[in-house]
Amino acid sequence: MALQNSIHTLLIRYSRARKVDEMFRPSVAVLMTEVIKLVICVVIDMHNEGVLRFFSVLRSHTISQPWDTLKVCVPAMIYVIQNNLFYVAASHLEAATFMIFSQLKIFTTAIFSIFILGRSLSG
């Protein structure tokens, strides 16, 4: 995970720090990332469940349970905002500072899992 996060961070930093005539919009990059992940998840789920069963499972887990779907939408929207801010930070921070702050999400996740979820982490 640390290697994947580091490569992801460095690629975003490189894409935002280079000199080009017209820079891409971070919101479009985040949207396309989410669309690609959605397509991959749907294909994998269709493969696992079968095409006919997939649609009934999808309906029973999303449309038939709107309250649970809404509960999942809140963190998803926060995640989208975080990813957009990630691009903004990559555009305005120096590379070392950006790397340090981007890796802090791993540390803060561990801290929140201890305090909010009451879990203990081993060394």
Side-chain angles (χ1 to χ4, degrees), residues 4-105:
Q4 185 267 335
N5 279 334
S6 297
I7 291 171
H8 177 255
T9 302
L10 289 172
L11 287 174
I12 287 178
R13 173 68 181 137
Y14 170 73
S15 73
R16 300 310 288 176
R18 62 193 171 98
K19 301 291 183 211
V20 293
D21 293 334
E22 194 171 329
M23 186 66 64
F24 64 92
R25 294 180 187 259
S27 56
V28 174
V30 171
L31 175 68
M32 291 309 299
T33 302
E34 297 304 318
V35 167
I36 290 168
K37 289 193 300 188
L38 176 67
V39 168
I40 290 170
C41 289
V42 166
V43 167
I44 290 172
D45 219 15
M46 277 185 166
H47 176 73
N48 291 341
E49 295 289 338
V51 177
L52 296 176
R53 179 151 164 68
F54 168 76
F55 290 107
S56 66
V57 169
L58 181 66
R59 185 173 19 106
S60 69
H61 286 173
T62 56
I63 297 170
S64 299
Q65 299 176 8
W67 183 244
D68 288 342
T69 303
L70 184 63
K71 284 192 252 183
V72 173
C73 287
V74 173
M77 288 299 121
I78 294 171
Y79 180 74
V80 167
I81 292 168
Q82 175 194 5
N83 282 341
N84 279 299
L85 291 175
F86 201 64
Y87 279 97
V88 172
S91 300
H92 297 302
L93 294 175
E94 301 216 6
T97 308
F98 177 67
M99 279 298 291
I100 290 169
F101 279 110
S102 67
Q103 295 300 322
L104 275 176
K105 66 183 172 186

Side-chain angles (χ1 to χ4, degrees), residues 103-119:
Q103 295 300 322
L104 275 176
K105 66 183 172 186
I106 297 170
F107 178 71
T108 54
T109 301
I111 295 298
F112 284 137
S113 71
I114 291 170
F115 291 117
I116 294 175
L117 300 176
R119 295 188 178 172

